[in-house]
Amino acid sequence: MTRGRDTVIGVVVVYVGVSLAAGTVAFAGARWAHAHFLAAATGDAVEELGPAFIETVLIGLAVTASVLAPVVSVVVGITLGRGLFAPVRAIGTAAVTGLVGAVLVGATVATLGSAGTPIGTIWTRSFLLTLAVAAVASAVSGAIGAAVGARAG
């Protein structure tokens, strides 16, 4: 049981690390976009186009993180399936960690990315829908990864 608990703790640490890295990049990207736009914009463009531009950059960063989550889930699933747990348990664990991990990554990116600029936020209904799709995709890809890992292991 200790090996299983240590493995799950390791998976949590991986997702927290990926979340913090992606969130830091989103924060830096939002700050860069905001500073670059303000330096280049003149006149009414700052007030009219600024929020839309920054939100577009934030959405791009969030979508990138949403694509990253299922990839991490596959790697985690394969690792869990390689004999650390019984195959059915590995598939279930990988699915749950994929789902929770994707939500963690998305929430961290949205929070830190939105904090990176005073203009705009990506906490919208569209983002939440994208995050839900990414979470389901991560759960499925993690389960598939665990099944493949169990089969190969």
Side-chain angles (χ1 to χ4, degrees):
M1 190 61 168
T2 301
R3 184 175 177 192
R5 186 190 68 213
D6 291 346
T7 302
V8 171
I9 290 170
V11 168
V12 170
V13 169
V14 165
Y15 277 111
V16 168
V18 168
S19 296
L20 290 175
T24 301
V25 170
F27 178 83
R31 291 298 310 154
W32 173 82
H34 184 256
H36 182 67
F37 180 77
L38 289 180
T42 58
D44 293 336
V46 175
E47 290 179 18
E48 292 177 18
L49 299 176
F53 174 73
I54 299 302
E55 286 180 21
T56 301
V57 169
L58 289 174
I59 289 168
L61 292 167
V63 168
T64 302
S66 296
V67 170
L68 174 69
V71 174
V72 173
S73 294
V74 168
V75 173
V76 167
I78 290 172
T79 302
L80 291 173
R82 305 270 302 162
L84 298 174
F85 296 119
V88 173
R89 188 170 175 202
I91 291 169
T93 303
V96 170
T97 57
L99 182 83
V100 173
V103 170
L104 179 64
V105 170
T108 304
V109 167
T111 301
L112 292 178
S114 296
T117 180
I119 300 174
T121 180
I122 57 173
W123 284 107
T124 63
R125 189 178 320 166
S126 297
F127 172 72
L128 292 175
L129 179 61
T130 302
L131 182 57
V133 169
V136 170
S138 294
V140 170
S141 64
I144 291 170
V148 169
R151 192 101 165 112

mmCIF file of all heavy atoms in Angstrom, residues 39 55 58 87:
data_model
loop_
_atom_site.group_PDB
_atom_site.id
_atom_site.type_symbol
_atom_site.label_atom_id
_atom_site.label_comp_id
_atom_site.label_asym_id
_atom_site.label_seq_id
_atom_site.Cartn_x
_atom_site.Cartn_y
_atom_site.Cartn_z
ATOM 1 N N ALA A 39 2.790 49.613 -25.192
ATOM 2 C CA ALA A 39 3.925 50.343 -25.757
ATOM 3 C C ALA A 39 3.691 50.672 -27.231
ATOM 4 O O ALA A 39 4.141 51.708 -27.725
ATOM 5 C CB ALA A 39 5.213 49.534 -25.611
ATOM 6 N N GLU A 55 -7.435 39.474 -23.833
ATOM 7 C CA GLU A 55 -8.252 38.274 -23.651
ATOM 8 C C GLU A 55 -7.937 37.219 -24.702
ATOM 9 O O GLU A 55 -7.924 36.023 -24.405
ATOM 10 C CB GLU A 55 -9.736 38.630 -23.678
ATOM 11 C CG GLU A 55 -10.184 39.321 -22.407
ATOM 12 C CD GLU A 55 -11.654 39.673 -22.410
ATOM 13 O OE1 GLU A 55 -12.413 39.057 -23.188
ATOM 14 O OE2 GLU A 55 -12.048 40.546 -21.629
ATOM 15 N N LEU A 58 -4.768 35.564 -23.565
ATOM 16 C CA LEU A 58 -5.057 34.682 -22.432
ATOM 17 C C LEU A 58 -5.768 33.405 -22.871
ATOM 18 O O LEU A 58 -5.467 32.319 -22.380
ATOM 19 C CB LEU A 58 -5.901 35.421 -21.396
ATOM 20 C CG LEU A 58 -5.199 36.517 -20.605
ATOM 21 C CD1 LEU A 58 -6.189 37.263 -19.733
ATOM 22 C CD2 LEU A 58 -4.077 35.945 -19.772
ATOM 23 N N PRO A 87 -4.511 -3.652 -12.978
ATOM 24 C CA PRO A 87 -4.936 -2.909 -14.175
ATOM 25 C C PRO A 87 -6.219 -2.091 -14.018
ATOM 26 O O PRO A 87 -6.266 -0.932 -14.406
ATOM 27 C CB PRO A 87 -5.102 -4.006 -15.226
ATOM 28 C CG PRO A 87 -4.151 -5.069 -14.800
ATOM 29 C CD PRO A 87 -4.172 -5.039 -13.292
#
